[in-house]
Amino acid sequence: MTSNREIHLASRPQGWPTEDTFRLVKTEVPTPGPGQIVVRNQFMSVDPYMRGRMNDVKSYVAPFALDAPLDGGAIGEVVASEAANIAVGATVLHGLGWREYALLDAAAARPVDPSIAPVSAYLSVLGMPGLTAYAGLLEVAAMKPGETVFVSAAAGAVGSLVGQIAKLKGAGRVIGSAGSPAKVERLRALGFDAAFDYHDGVRESLRTAAPDGVDVYFDNVGGDHLEAAISAMNLHGRAAICGMIGQYNATEPPAAPRNLALVIGKRLTLRGFLVNDHNNVRTAFVRDVAGWLRDGTLSYDETIVDGIENAPAAFLGLLRGDNLGKMLVKV
């Protein structure tokens, strides 16, 4: 336990990142000080929001530093501890991914029970994506039974859970968009009432899938999807704005939505949110999701890439939409 590998940010991308945006760096395994632990990471997460952190601009989270390791959700085993409350051998969830060994204060780690579910699930269905889906749909958009729900990027880590949770909570009709025929078929297998490939035209496809309009839109894409949703939404419709992956790599301002004036007459609510603002629903989230997993009514997909050295490729694949469900790196 002497050699450690980390992924550093080598340059700030203009437009799409490339492999040259990242650098694999060898370091020594750190030694914990008082109150600290060292974690051998088993899985790490790559997420769309990380693209924004590669830009040196002010945002809701600090940008990644150049020539330093990136960070993000990770889970692993404690291999050294100078903390009274976390023992060697514990499995912990924390925020220092993109490296094989992480040194952190014990207060920044959350112990989890690996006997309840595969450890990777704590980064997907039982983790941030699951809570994002649950809180965004039920608290931010306040979905009611019988309503029609439209989800963009619906085959991704968050979107695939939004659609299923909507059905489990009594939605009348759930529609999803995805980026390939295979993903569309997967959405139908997950219980979506309708699904379409956005390459076939978002506005026309949504109009066909939702002839009676949309009450709730869960937005992961922005741009043409948001424009189509605004056109399709019923009076007093609500949109939970979770992400806008369709424009994260754009170098020009987005052309859409061009129909924001409809927000007035339709009395729509478009509300952006961050998952960290909704920890108040975590207890209900864990209760509901654990129950659905136990009885088999909720499914989740993971796309796993092996090796810390392949983390950049996994991230680039995520931006291209290569993943089904949550994109993870097995460290």
Side-chain angles (χ1 to χ4, degrees):
M1 199 177 72
T2 58
S3 179
N4 185 27
R5 293 185 298 170
E6 305 172 337
I7 302 294
H8 289 204
L9 184 65
S11 61
R12 299 200 184 278
Q14 300 296 315
W16 282 82
T18 67
E19 290 278 356
D20 292 337
T21 303
F22 309 90
R23 182 182 300 117
L24 180 65
V25 176
K26 290 186 177 181
T27 64
E28 292 185 354
V29 174
T31 300
Q36 293 184 319
I37 58 174
V38 175
V39 181
R40 170 66 170 96
N41 284 334
Q42 296 167 313
F43 290 91
M44 56 160 275
S45 175
V46 291
D47 301 285
Y49 81 88
M50 294 175 175
R51 174 61 187 87
R53 295 188 65 192
M54 295 177 183
N55 301 328
D56 189 12
V57 296
K58 185 177 181 180
S59 183
Y60 63 89
V61 62
F64 293 127
L66 284 173
D67 301 315
L70 293 86
D71 58 68
I75 193 166
E77 181 184 354
V78 176
V79 294
S81 175
E82 291 297 329
N85 58 329
I86 299 183
V88 169
T91 300
V92 297
L93 189 66
H94 63 92
L96 292 183
W98 295 87
R99 66 204 79 190
E100 290 177 317
Y101 291 90
L103 171 68
L104 63 150
D105 292 337
R110 180 161 65 90
V112 299
D113 187 349
S115 69
I116 292 176
V119 293
S120 61
Y122 288 100
L123 293 172
S124 58
V125 65
L126 289 172
M128 181 267 287
L131 182 58
T132 301
Y134 188 95
L137 178 69
L138 301 178
E139 185 163 76
V140 177
M143 188 209 82
K144 303 178 185 69
E147 291 189 318
T148 295
V149 177
F150 171 44
V151 188
S152 57
V158 174
S160 59
L161 298 175
V162 172
Q164 293 181 83
I165 293 170
K167 293 297 289 185
L168 288 163
K169 289 291 188 178
R173 185 168 177 79
V174 176
I175 301 152
S177 72
S180 72
K183 289 183 177 181
V184 167
E185 287 304 309
R186 179 56 180 159
L187 294 181
R188 291 174 177 147
L190 290 174
F192 283 66
D193 297 291
F196 60 85
D197 185 335
Y198 65 80
H199 296 103
D200 296 332
V202 182
R203 182 174 294 206
E204 299 79 7
S205 298
L206 181 57
R207 186 182 298 119
T208 300
D212 296 322
V214 170
D215 301 298
V216 168
Y217 173 46
F218 195 104
D219 190 15
N220 293 303
V221 175
D224 58 349
H225 280 73
L226 180 56
E227 180 174 280
I230 289 171
S231 291
M233 288 176 82
N234 295 323
L235 291 179
H236 303 291
R238 290 92 62 208
I241 312 298
C242 176
M244 295 193 175
I245 195 171
Q247 60 198 60
Y248 287 165
N249 298 302
T251 56
E252 299 291 334
R258 296 161 293 187
N259 57 350
L260 281 175
L262 292 177
V263 172
I264 303 167
K266 292 186 176 187
R267 282 84 91 197
L268 305 180
T269 299
L270 311 183
R271 181 179 169 192
F273 75 101
L274 299 177
V275 66
N276 290 338
D277 294 335
H278 298 277
N279 284 317
N280 58 297
V281 301
R282 184 178 291 278
T283 299
F285 157 71
V286 172
R287 179 198 65 224
D288 284 351
V289 170
W292 293 329
L293 291 173
R294 271 195 307 271
D295 62 25
T297 54
L298 183 69
S299 300
Y300 65 99
D301 295 312
E302 294 176 342
T303 300
I304 297 176
V305 174
D306 284 322
I308 186 71
E309 69 278 8
N310 293 316
F315 177 71
L316 297 177
L318 171 75
L319 296 181
R320 291 192 302 266
D322 294 347
N323 58 301
L324 186 64
K326 183 77 183 89
M327 179 73 90
L328 295 169
V329 177
K330 186 176 181 180
V331 180

